[in-house]
Amino acid sequence: DVKVTQSSRYLVKRTGEKVFLECVQDMDHENMFWYRQDPGLGLRLIYFSYDVKMKEKGDIPEGYSVSREKKERFSLILESASTNQTSMYLCASSFGVRNSPLHFGNGTRLTVT
Amino acid sequence: EDQVTQSPEALRLQEGESSSLNCSYTVSGLRGLFWYRQDPGKGPEFLFTLYSAGEEKEKERLKATLTKKESFLHITAPKPEDSATYLCAVRGSGYSTLTFGKGTMLLVSP
């Protein structure tokens, strides 16, 4: 089975802090994704990556950056956390072929106070 | 821009009462329509991929169908353990990303 592991289930940070969310997958997937999920808004794509050191902006990249130094690891960085970034963050991965489904981790619930 | 609309937003069923969830989509060159199940506090779990109109996929009490404009997730004789949020997503031509609907929250009462 595919395993996508997010380093923290719950995280509480203060406004202005730099926050790192880590994600690791064990299936040698080429593609990795970061989504946030909010009530009434659904899943929205923040950033994704097709390969090591590659990154592409999703629909809502403002206030975020990403890093992919190794194939299995994809990090989401909140440069200066704000209260409107309180959300559930979901990491996903997939094979490079276009019809491959995404496989998700269990999420990190981030609260910014 | 790809768009996905799911209905109803919430559905309450009695155990054994069959029903269907709807997913309407607008996409340029459909490369796949995906159904996921999400339990509270967990990430979405992949259920099915459908690629072309007329295709059907089944898994236990769930059956997904696809037309050129919408997909249905039919739930036959549901059980309380089928309670979850069901998400629909599409992939258009030229992209590996998915566009998600907002989901249907299903509650099955014993």
Side-chain angles (χ1 to χ4, degrees), chain A residues 17-57:
Chain A
E17 278 193 79
K18 190 168 186 176
V19 182
F20 294 85
L21 303 183
E22 307 287 346
C23 175
V24 177
Q25 50 94 4
D26 67 354
M27 281 301 293
D28 203 33
H29 284 168
E30 290 83 5
N31 303 329
M32 296 190 75
F33 308 82
W34 277 106
Y35 286 84
R36 65 177 282 177
Q37 186 174 33
D38 301 286
L41 296 177
L43 279 147
R44 293 179 292 166
L45 181 64
I46 305 171
Y47 267 97
F48 59 103
S49 168
Y50 290 121
D51 201 350
V52 175
K53 297 192 186 294
M54 303 290 287
K55 61 183 179 182
E56 298 283 344
K57 292 181 180 179

Side-chain angles (χ1 to χ4, degrees), chain B residues 15 37 39 60-61 78-84 86 106 108:
Chain B
E15 184 172 2
R37 169 194 171 125
D39 293 301
E60 296 180 356
R61 294 176 293 283
K79 298 182 177 182
E81 53 262 42
D82 294 323
S83 298
Y86 291 86
L106 174 67
V108 182

Side-chain angles (χ1 to χ4, degrees), chain B residues 38-52:
Chain B
Q38 186 175 23
D39 293 301
K42 294 193 173 182
E45 175 189 349
F46 170 68
L47 293 173
F48 305 110
T49 309
L50 301 167
Y51 297 108
S52 57

Side-chain angles (χ1 to χ4, degrees), chain A residues 40 43 48 66 69 71 98 110-112:
Chain A
L43 279 147
F48 59 103
V66 290
E69 296 296 318
K71 189 175 185 179
R98 288 182 180 175
L110 173 67
T111 302
V112 182

